[in-house]
Amino acid sequence: EDGTEDELYLNTLKDILPKLINLQKPDLILYQCGVDVLKQDKLGRLALTKQGCRERDRLVLTAAVKQQIPLVAAMGGGYAPEIRDIIEAHANTFRLAQSLFF
């Protein structure tokens, strides 16, 4: 729903992602890791914090690693008034990916 914050979003993702992976058994995960989920985003309708966005990334990337599923990550979104918020959120995604995959 509009305005969904970290707790509900992350709990929903924690519940659904493993079930979805087990059901679909994907050969590849295409991860659109947009940051328009951030509360300060002008066009997004969710209300995640940067920490919530980072946790979302951790859940998705860790699931891929655990299941040994290749993952393609694509940046997207990012319409916050402060460009540093967008850059930091995107950089967090790739810092985490680097720590998990390299």
Side-chain angles (χ1 to χ4, degrees), residues 31-99:
Y31 179 38
Q32 172 65 24
C33 47
V35 298
D36 50 352
V37 296
L38 294 172
K39 184 176 186 171
Q40 59 267 48
D41 192 276
K42 294 184 291 185
L43 300 179
R45 298 170 69 171
L46 299 178
L48 271 61
T49 63
K50 281 184 258 182
Q51 294 81 10
C53 193
R54 187 179 318 128
E55 179 63 12
R56 172 205 65 179
D57 294 340
R58 189 190 67 74
L59 290 169
V60 174
L61 297 177
T62 301
V65 169
K66 280 184 174 179
Q67 298 290 328
Q68 296 182 322
I69 303 168
L71 181 137
V72 175
M75 297 185 334
Y79 309 98
E82 294 290 329
I83 194 152
R84 81 184 81 197
D85 293 328
I86 299 165
I87 292 169
E88 183 179 346
H90 281 306
N92 284 337
T93 302
F94 289 96
R95 286 184 196 110
L96 178 61
Q98 183 180 22
S99 74

Side-chain angles (χ1 to χ4, degrees), residues 1-52:
E1 291 188 36
D2 288 354
T4 297
E5 295 179 342
D6 291 352
E7 186 176 358
L8 176 58
Y9 182 96
L10 295 170
N11 285 337
T12 302
L13 183 60
K14 285 177 195 173
D15 181 50
I16 291 174
L17 184 60
K19 293 174 185 175
L20 183 60
I21 289 173
N22 287 332
L23 178 67
Q24 295 298 317
K25 300 187 184 348
D27 295 322
L28 175 72
I29 295 174
L30 300 174
Y31 179 38
Q32 172 65 24
C33 47
V35 298
D36 50 352
V37 296
L38 294 172
K39 184 176 186 171
Q40 59 267 48
D41 192 276
K42 294 184 291 185
L43 300 179
R45 298 170 69 171
L46 299 178
L48 271 61
T49 63
K50 281 184 258 182
Q51 294 81 10

